Amino acid sequence: MSRQITLFQQAFILFGGTASIAHGILEQKPKDVDILVGVEALAILDDAIINMREGFHRDCDGTIKWDKCDLDNNKLFEVTVELVELGGPFVPRIPEAVGFREGYVATLSELVRLRASTLVGRSDESDYIDFEIILSHAHRRHARLQHLGEEELESMIEAVKMCERSRDMDVLFMDVLGSFELRGAWYENWVVWCRSLKF
C-alpha cells in the first residue's frame, strides 16, 4: 500500500468531465480539465506554472491555463486547469485509478462516487444530468461500487433520492452497489444486508 501511496503522490489523475470523456461516456469538450495531484506532482506543476513552462501559466485572476501549441509554437487553443490535491478536503483518500497515457484516470466507480458527492454538495442542473449518465454507464458496464464507507453510502443514497425524477435510478444504484459499511458492520452487497435484517 505504501508503494501505491508513493506512486500516487507523484501522479496526475484525470477526474470530472475529462475522465468521463476518457471513459467514452461524454463527448462534448469540457470547460476545464480536473486533475487530482499528489504532493510531488503538485510541486512539479507549481514550478511549471510559476516559470511558464510546458504551456502552463496563470491568468491575472489566478486561473491556471494550459496552452496547446503546434510545432512552431503557435497557440492552437487554451484550457482551464483545475488542480485538486489528493488527501485534501474534496478527495480525502486515494481514489481507484487505471493507467491512461502518461498518467491515470479515475475508474468509473470513482466517477460515480465523486459525482454523487458533487451533486449533494452543489446541486447544479448539470450535476443531476452527469450523475444519471455516469450511473447508467456504470450499470451497463457492470461496474461495482466497492468498499463504500458509511458517509459515502449516505452521500450516494442522498444523490439517488435527489434524482427521483428519473425512473429506475434506485434500481441502477442497487445493481452497482457492492460492499458497504452500515452502522459499523460491513456487507458484501445489499442482498446480504437484507438477509441480516430480523423482521
Side-chain angles (χ1 to χ4, degrees):
M1 181 66 177
S2 60
R3 185 179 172 199
Q4 182 191 27
I5 291 171
T6 302
L7 177 67
F8 281 117
Q9 284 175 340
Q10 303 168 359
F12 302 89
I13 305 173
L14 287 177
F15 77 116
T18 311
S20 296
I21 291 169
H23 280 288
I25 297 170
L26 301 175
E27 293 182 3
Q28 76 264 27
K29 182 180 174 183
K31 290 184 287 187
D32 52 37
V33 175
D34 300 313
I35 304 175
L36 295 174
V37 290
V39 177
E40 293 176 32
L42 186 60
I44 292 167
L45 275 173
D46 274 345
D47 181 64
I49 293 163
I50 291 167
N51 294 296
M52 299 177 68
R53 289 187 289 104
E54 306 297 331
F56 287 100
H57 59 95
R58 199 181 291 272
D59 276 358
C60 56
D61 65 356
T63 305
I64 300 168
K65 302 282 188 173
W66 177 75
D67 296 335
K68 171 65 177 174
C69 298
D70 63 16
L71 296 176
D72 295 322
N73 210 28
N74 296 311
K75 183 174 169 181
L76 300 175
F77 61 86
E78 184 180 73
V79 176
T80 300
V81 178
E82 293 285 339
L83 301 178
V84 178
E85 188 175 353
L86 284 168
F90 186 67
V91 184
R93 62 173 178 75
I94 296 173
E96 294 175 9
V98 292
F100 181 73
R101 302 203 177 164
E102 295 178 20
Y104 297 88
V105 61
T107 63
L108 192 50
S109 299
E110 287 292 348
L111 294 182
V112 174
R113 294 182 203 218
L114 289 166
R115 187 53 66 188
S117 175
T118 302
L119 173 58
V120 171
R122 188 171 62 185
S123 305
D124 284 351
E125 183 64 25
S126 62
D127 297 328
Y128 285 91
I129 295 166
D130 289 347
F131 179 67
E132 291 166 10
I133 290 171
I134 292 169
L135 186 58
S136 295
H137 275 270
H139 178 261
R140 276 200 295 276
R141 296 181 189 182
H142 307 288
R144 288 286 171 270
L145 295 169
Q146 298 291 1
H147 315 297
L148 283 181
E150 199 149 351
E151 284 185 25
E152 285 183 307
L153 179 64
E154 288 173 6
S155 180
M156 285 295 305
I157 291 170
E158 181 63 26
V160 170
K161 284 180 182 176
M162 291 171 71
C163 291
E164 62 185 9
R165 62 187 182 169
S166 298
R167 297 184 320 149
D168 302 327
M169 285 299 287
D170 52 345
V171 174
L172 293 179
F173 171 60
M174 297 306 273
D175 281 349
V176 301
L177 180 61
S179 58
F180 61 91
E181 181 185 18
L182 187 62
R183 297 186 187 94
W186 281 92
Y187 300 93
E188 185 180 341
N189 53 48
W190 67 270
V191 175
V192 173
W193 171 72
C194 286
R195 288 176 182 158
S196 74
L197 298 176
K198 294 183 173 64
F199 294 99

